Amino acid sequence: MWAIETRNLRKVYRPLFGGNPITAVDNLNLQVPAGTVFGFLGPNGAGKTTTIQILIGNVYPTAGEAFVLGHRAGALAAKRKLGFLPEKFQFHDFLTAEEFLRMHGRLAKMDRTTLQRRIDEVLELVGLAERRTSKIREFSKGMQQRVGLAQAILHDPDLVILDEPTSALDPLGRRRVREVVQYLKERGKTVFLNSHLLSEVERSCDQVAIINKGRVIVQGTLDELLVNRSVVRVELRRVEPCVLEAAAKVAQKVHPVDERCFTAEVASEDDIPELARAILDAGGALIGLQAHRETLEDLFIQTVEAEGR
Amino acid sequence: MGVIIALTLKEAMRRRAFLGTLIILVTLYGLSFLPRAFKEAFGGDERQFELGVNIAVLFGIDAIKFFSAVLAILLSAGAITAEIERGYLAAILPRPLYRWELYLGKWLGVMLFSAANATLWTAMLWASVALQGEPRVEMWRALPYVLLYPILYGTLALALSSFLGASIASMFTVALGAFAYFSDHFLRPIAAFFDVRLLQQMIWLSEWALPMATLKRLVQIQVDTILPPGFGERPRFGRPDVLEFLNPPVQPLDLAYVALYILVALTVGLVIFWRRDVQ
């Protein structure tokens, strides 16, 4: 079962007083398996926030369909099982953390006993148990984000959508969010994570999708997307064209960096000795060779650049 | 919906807008003690004193109409679009509630708050004249109709706030109110005395566009008994139709039109909010 599924989802904004229509989401097809931590990535303006707003029912699609936990996006049945932490938010800061969560619990139609228990649990989980009676206006931006996270998971939803959950957090706060994501994963919940902090996504997510210009470019598990590629940084006394040619015969891609350095993308780590031999055979004065497994950041940059921003 | 009503009430208390109007009204009610002060300082007969109290009551009712409408506009104009832009609704809208519940919850919250304030101010007015030994009940008779002012203006401002920011929504509502006031108080006598047909039609239209003059008449018939002599009477000479235009009588369907107007404004705002993207 898909926790989230979109079929040819499209959203076009038409300016009220003329001007060109803006296509924010363009035939987006996305499948998020239930019980996974899913990273939703893309450059600014790729259509991530619009997609999320459609999923939570705030924005109506121009065409296509979106389903959340088997229900049409925006339906009350879908909203009951959904938790959401918005990127841009302003909480009613005259309330205390506990009052704020109680309000959200009542909006989520939680019964009194369960609500009190869950308030205690989630405040503990996000590290704000000691500050439960403090007004939100007294909180730092990071603490407000954590109380936002607490409201998103308060009613024990099956799907939690986190839109830039770590944007205002320090490293300790980010670790706390990772722990919460792990906590949700262990309980079989689906987490849909939109973040620009790719290292965080790489640490937490089972699957990712990279979108650009409103369309999914790549989607898969991290193992599928990253395992078979290694990027080798090669340092020479001088990078000659014949060396690059020789390297290109072994590597899938070769990118000159400067006069003394280039990078080569090989299909697997097994190809690295052969690459070194090819460089030496072509007369290259090899100084250093450093291989690293392709990171999500490498994949993201290459994918988005290949698409042309 | 109860959660949204409670939240709106808390928000209104936090803004302390009502405290400002309360201070102004306390000042105004101070004026209602003037008849007693004048009598004690300068003498004068009982009839003059009664007249002074009546004028103070009429003035107080007008002040309640004005301030309760302003309060409702202030609270309603920023209730939807401004809250979306500030990010207040970002975490509330994904909750399992229909948009109409949110909209009506806000409307009810504002109306309850404005009505509570208007009732409190009416009680203050009643107490201030009762303390002078001249109790009046006209302000209580007028109260249900006075409450229509904040309901009308608040509903209109809320409907506009479903697609406009706070300042523009309040500006439009105030502008519409000012036009209706200007039309009724200044254009109407001109149109009547000079018998300008086009102007008369414009005034008629403005009353349909915002039934403020209708509301004024509905309140006025509740306080007829304390009107100063000659006030509100028709001129002795003139064509009957012109005289009627100058001072129209209350029609049986006036209240129904005001109710329908409020209902339509509420529905239009609701439909716009229901249909719009929230981002």
Side-chain angles (χ1 to χ4, degrees), chain A residues 80-140:
Chain A
R80 278 194 198 99
K81 300 174 186 173
L82 174 84
F84 176 58
L85 172 65
E87 180 189 6
K88 285 182 223 154
F89 59 84
Q90 180 80 49
F91 297 139
H92 294 87
D93 59 4
F94 53 90
L95 300 174
T96 65
E98 192 169 351
E99 285 169 345
F100 173 76
L101 291 176
R102 184 158 288 115
M103 178 191 86
H104 273 276
R106 288 176 63 198
L107 283 172
K109 317 270 193 288
M110 293 174 75
D111 68 75
R112 199 176 287 249
T113 319
T114 314
L115 177 57
Q116 191 53 54
R117 179 176 53 79
R118 283 295 292 168
I119 287 173
D120 297 341
E121 277 175 20
V122 295
L123 281 174
E124 191 67 45
L125 201 63
V126 298
L128 289 173
E130 305 292 311
R131 302 294 302 271
R132 60 192 307 144
T133 53
S134 300
K135 289 201 186 301
I136 293 177
R137 77 164 69 100
E138 294 161 13
F139 285 2
S140 67

Side-chain angles (χ1 to χ4, degrees), chain B residues 204-273:
Chain B
W204 185 78
L205 268 177
S206 80
E207 201 164 326
W208 279 92
L210 188 72
M212 202 167 94
T214 312
L215 272 186
K216 185 190 82 176
R217 289 195 293 275
L218 284 168
V219 172
Q220 203 162 304
I221 57 165
Q222 306 304 319
V223 295
D224 264 349
T225 48
I226 56 168
L227 284 180
F231 189 83
E233 283 179 13
R234 290 180 179 182
R236 288 178 190 173
F237 306 105
R239 270 194 356 241
D241 60 325
V242 172
L243 292 178
E244 188 169 309
F245 175 78
L246 186 65
N247 200 357
V250 173
Q251 304 291 337
L253 287 177
D254 276 355
L255 192 60
Y257 179 67
V258 173
L260 183 70
Y261 186 93
I262 291 167
L263 193 66
V264 168
L266 190 68
T267 309
V268 168
L270 188 57
V271 169
I272 293 171
F273 181 49

Side-chain angles (χ1 to χ4, degrees), chain A residues 11 13 49-50 53 56-60 76 79-80 84 86 88-95 103-104 106-109 151 155, chain B residues 2-4 6-7 10-11 14 83 86-99 101 273-279:
Chain A
K11 179 65 188 177
Y13 290 105
T49 299
T50 303
Q53 293 296 329
I56 62 172
N58 280 1
V59 168
Y60 297 106
L76 236 51
K79 286 181 168 185
R80 278 194 198 99
F84 176 58
K88 285 182 223 154
F89 59 84
Q90 180 80 49
F91 297 139
H92 294 87
D93 59 4
F94 53 90
L95 300 174
M103 178 191 86
H104 273 276
R106 288 176 63 198
L107 283 172
K109 317 270 193 288
Q151 66 79 28
H155 56 302
Chain B
V3 184
I4 302 296
L7 188 66
K10 274 186 185 172
E11 182 84 34
R14 188 184 72 95
E83 290 216 353
R86 287 188 207 129
Y88 280 114
L89 297 185
I92 290 178
L93 277 170
R95 291 288 173 206
L97 77 164
Y98 292 107
R99 285 194 190 178
E101 288 180 87
F273 181 49
W274 185 274
R275 301 282 306 159
R276 68 166 287 182
D277 287 335
V278 176
Q279 199 169 10

Side-chain angles (χ1 to χ4, degrees), chain B residues 110-125:
Chain B
V110 171
M111 295 312 143
L112 280 175
F113 189 76
S114 305
N117 273 280
T119 308
L120 176 71
W121 298 337
T122 303
M124 285 172 69
L125 179 64

